[in-house]
Amino acid sequence: MTTFIWILAALIVIGVYLSWTAGRLDRLHARIDAARAALDAQLLRRASVAQELGTSGVLDPAASIVLYQAAHEARQAEEDQREVAESALSQALRAVFDEAEQTDAVREAPGGEQTLAELNAAVRRVPMARRFHNDAVRAARAVRRHRVVRWFRLAGHAPFPMAFEMDDEAPAALGDRAAA
């Protein structure tokens, strides 16, 4: 009879542990979803401001075309091409706003200071949102690698979390000029 009680107690402890681990994994997946939504919002905000600047007529025609096309492609990209399109937008922003003349032209236009501040904020928030997302992915992957999680299929049918890798380096002159 005592053996039966010990076996039952061990099964209850194992069940509680499995339930706790499954709940933790579920919370990590929810955190990934929330972080991805925040990242998508920041990427959309950055692309919107860049597209608005590209159509404003403030920049020189070549810079306007480059910026507009990169922003448009970033907004319209399919999920499997999103990282490449967002990296291309980062490169276009650096190409356009690493020149002080472009930043000064935007600043001198009506509402230019506000537009530069908005663009600077959007460009600065993307790396933070990406870092939060990738940290959540890293934590979920660490839990999913445990044998117990694999053996008991505690992740259910949730897809394996993937990090979002892109070039998110901000134009140096944009930050310096926007703060000035």
Side-chain angles (χ1 to χ4, degrees):
M1 186 65 161
T2 46
T3 306
F4 177 72
I5 293 173
W6 283 110
I7 291 173
L8 185 62
L11 288 175
I12 289 173
V13 168
I14 291 171
V16 167
Y17 173 74
L18 291 176
S19 174
W20 177 80
T21 303
R24 179 175 176 221
L25 195 54
D26 187 50
R27 287 188 302 276
L28 285 170
H29 281 270
R31 190 171 126 202
I32 289 171
D33 291 342
R36 181 59 189 243
L39 175 61
D40 287 341
Q42 293 305 323
L43 291 171
L44 180 62
R45 181 175 179 220
R46 180 180 77 150
S48 297
V49 173
Q51 201 168 18
E52 181 182 320
L53 269 170
T55 59
S56 68
V58 173
L59 303 172
D60 68 64
S64 293
I65 290 171
V66 166
L67 198 57
Y68 177 81
Q69 283 181 340
H72 180 72
E73 288 173 13
R75 290 182 72 174
Q76 300 298 320
E78 296 292 326
E79 192 60 35
D80 60 336
Q81 293 297 314
R82 185 100 187 262
E83 294 171 351
V84 174
E86 293 295 347
S87 293
L89 178 55
S90 294
Q91 293 166 359
L93 285 166
R94 280 196 308 273
V96 170
F97 288 105
D98 273 348
E99 299 175 15
E101 299 84 36
Q102 299 293 355
T103 309
D104 293 338
V106 173
R107 180 173 281 109
E108 292 167 4
E113 284 290 334
Q114 181 181 359
T115 303
L116 273 181
E118 190 175 342
L119 179 63
N120 189 40
V123 165
R124 299 289 178 203
R125 287 182 180 148
V126 166
M128 288 187 300
R130 189 175 73 85
R131 198 170 311 121
F132 286 135
H133 175 266
N134 289 348
D135 287 346
V137 166
R138 204 171 2 266
R141 283 181 173 181
V143 172
R144 286 183 72 151
R145 276 192 220 110
H146 292 210
R147 284 188 201 119
V148 173
V149 173
R150 289 191 319 253
W151 289 345
F152 289 98
R153 301 182 195 277
L154 297 181
H157 296 289
F160 194 74
M162 300 302 290
F164 194 86
E165 298 300 333
M166 63 171 273
D167 173 6
D168 58 7
E169 185 180 338
L174 178 66
D176 298 340
R177 294 289 208 182

